[in-house]
Amino acid sequence: MSQSVLKLDEDILKKVQSHVPENSSPFQQGGEEEEYRFTTFLLDYFQKRKAVRTLPASGISYFIYIPPQLARKVENLGSSVLSLRRDKSRDLSGKIFLCLDSALNKNRVISFENSDNQRDVLEEKFQEIKELLGDFELLNAVVDFNIRSMSIFLTESPVDPTSEYEILIDIGRSQEQFSREKLTSFSYDFHETETKLPGCGLMIWKVQGDYTLTDHAEDRIARRFTFNLVKILGKDGVSQEARGSHGRSDLIIHSHAMVPEHGPCVLEFKVLRHGNSDDACEKWLSEGLEQVIDYGSDRAAKSHYLMVYDGRKRLGELDLIREKSREQGVTYLHFEMYNTPSGERKTKLKK
């Protein structure tokens, strides 16, 4: 008995593959992305519980990410909870969850009786756990169900690895869809809070006086930008470093997270560093422009963004890139990063 074999056209196969996400989070497992990955899964868990109306009405919980190298030290604390993500009805208030992987698949829970000083009790236990682990800086989230808020204390800082950076998230917020106008506004807001000045969230300068940016500045900006988007559009609305036939795009906002006439959307991030010549900067951004157009064709994108973060001493948009972007239908956003708080004022006076 003969059996027919369906042969797929290679172009069709590549197109299908380019739309298949490589994992269920915008962030990869391990390395510097682990903190964002953990936070993304945690936020997604709360959003799904909100959707089925099982979020606690009151109380406080702590969620602590335990890196693999420290897991043995907490194996006797509390009781085991497998796959927290699958359990949408578990009581959360008055508990500390020790999350042994960033996707919430393996956890241990320490429970406390309800009391008027619940936060103090949980915080005291958290400090004990930190001492047990040798004062290792732990990524942790404090969730206050009374006001529907989650405080994430990130430890990702190349300037000061011992510091924490708090991000406050409204877990009661409904997921949105972005238009180009909303995305552009979001991008400028991100710049104001994360990259514009030395004291902003990302602490982008390694040596301010020498106009030296931190290592991997481009990757750090793209990761934090993606993370901030996930808080609004949801974990499944955004992909980072997604593959396509032309390579990997920095960031994709999927169709369901954009208004129909503007999605999907592809974004390419570029950083200009002090010391690079004008010709080198033009070449670098021209390559970025080609990349975002190619990546957009892989995804049948309706919106294309070239995101440029300028850390040079002499700041300003590149006329050639602005003209090329206009001709190609690409939104070119140019963000000036100042190495001193007074730098912005001086730049404005010169203009």
Side-chain angles (χ1 to χ4, degrees):
M1 180 178 177
S2 63
Q3 186 175 11
S4 62
V5 178
L6 177 63
K7 186 175 181 180
L8 288 176
D9 182 273
E10 282 193 17
D11 290 337
I12 295 176
L13 183 59
K14 286 180 180 178
K15 189 171 183 179
V16 171
Q17 287 176 334
S18 72
H19 285 73
V20 177
E22 296 180 45
N23 64 75
S24 57
S25 167
F27 303 101
Q28 299 293 326
Q29 190 170 6
E32 296 178 357
E33 297 190 33
E34 197 74 271
E35 291 196 346
Y36 291 126
R37 179 180 166 86
F38 168 70
T39 307
T40 296
F41 273 105
L42 194 57
L43 179 58
D44 184 64
Y45 175 64
F46 290 130
Q47 288 172 337
K48 284 183 167 57
R49 288 196 59 156
K50 175 178 176 289
V52 295
R53 300 181 180 180
T54 60
L55 270 181
S58 61
I60 295 170
S61 297
Y62 276 51
F63 293 81
I64 307 169
Y65 173 63
I66 306 296
Q69 66 270 28
L70 300 177
R72 292 291 297 273
K73 292 188 176 183
V74 299
E75 61 184 3
N76 294 321
L77 296 180
S79 56
S80 176
V81 175
L82 295 178
S83 194
L84 184 61
R85 286 189 296 152
R86 292 177 179 270
D87 189 349
K88 304 296 191 298
S89 60
R90 174 173 290 276
D91 183 24
L92 302 176
S93 298
K95 293 177 172 58
I96 291 179
F97 290 88
L98 306 175
C99 305
L100 305 181
D101 78 350
S102 56
L104 312 182
N105 291 318
K106 294 173 62 179
N107 313 271
R108 300 196 68 80
V109 59
I110 307 171
S111 301
F112 300 86
E113 294 182 1
N114 290 328
S115 64
D116 294 336
N117 62 337
Q118 189 177 75
R119 181 184 290 273
D120 293 336
V121 172
L122 296 180
E123 179 64 26
E124 184 177 350
K125 186 63 178 179
F126 172 57
Q127 295 301 327
E128 289 179 11
I129 293 170
K130 286 185 68 175
E131 289 182 16
L132 173 67
L133 300 179
D135 280 332
F136 192 91
E137 288 301 322
L138 295 172
L139 169 63
N140 62 97
V142 180
V143 185
D144 189 334
F145 297 106
N146 302 288
I147 58 174
R148 292 291 192 265
S149 74
M150 176 167 67
S151 292
I152 300 291
F153 295 91
L154 297 175
T155 60
E156 185 251 6
S157 172
V159 179
D160 182 7
T162 65
S163 68
E164 286 185 329
Y165 176 62
E166 181 180 4
I167 295 178
L168 188 64
I169 300 175
D170 179 3
I171 61 174
R173 179 177 184 167
S174 299
Q175 292 182 16
E176 298 180 22
Q177 282 187 319
F178 266 13
S179 62
R180 291 191 196 111
E181 291 74 19
K182 276 191 175 181
L183 177 57
T184 298
S185 176
F186 170 89
S187 301
Y188 280 107
D189 289 344
F190 173 85
H191 175 55
E192 289 286 333
T193 58
E194 299 286 356
T195 58
K196 185 175 182 178
L197 298 173
C200 287
L202 269 175
M203 299 180 70
I204 202 68
W205 295 98
K206 187 175 184 179
V207 183
Q208 291 174 226
D210 294 340
Y211 290 87
T212 303
L213 297 170
T214 57
D215 298 335
H216 311 295
E218 206 165 86
D219 292 338
R220 294 185 63 234
I221 291 171
R223 280 199 299 267
R224 183 66 67 84
F225 190 96
T226 302
F227 174 69
N228 284 13
L229 265 184
V230 167
K231 293 189 294 181
I232 301 172
L233 303 180
K235 177 173 69 69
D236 300 325
V238 184
S239 291
Q240 186 189 209
E241 289 283 340
R243 66 172 179 236
S245 59
H246 288 94
R248 292 176 179 268
S249 56
D250 283 342
L251 180 60
I252 294 169
I253 304 176
H254 297 294
S255 298
H256 70 271
M258 298 284 290
V259 296
E261 60 270 27
H262 293 168
C265 175
V266 176
L267 299 92
E268 181 69 17
F269 290 77
K270 294 294 181 187
V271 167
L272 300 180
R273 293 178 179 270
H274 178 59
N276 293 338
S277 67
D278 289 346
D279 288 344
C281 290
E282 281 189 354
K283 182 180 179 182
W284 180 235
L285 296 190
S286 292
E287 290 175 1
L289 193 56
E290 292 174 4
Q291 287 171 320
V292 76
I293 293 170
D294 286 342
Y295 299 152
S297 69
D298 290 342
R299 297 280 170 166
K302 296 179 181 177
S303 302
H304 306 72
Y305 276 71
L306 179 62
M307 312 287 286
V308 179
Y309 292 82
D310 194 346
R312 299 172 298 166
K313 186 174 183 178
R314 187 163 63 87
L315 300 166
E317 291 187 4
L318 278 68
D319 294 338
L320 176 65
I321 302 303
R322 183 173 59 241
E323 183 62 24
K324 281 185 175 181
S325 298
R326 186 187 62 78
E327 292 173 356
Q328 298 288 347
V330 174
T331 301
Y332 166 38
L333 299 184
H334 195 105
F335 305 103
E336 298 180 350
M337 301 188 294
Y338 304 100
N339 69 326
T340 63
S342 61
E344 180 187 12
R345 294 192 293 272
K346 291 178 181 177
T347 301
K348 286 182 176 178
L349 286 173
K350 290 179 182 178
K351 292 179 179 179

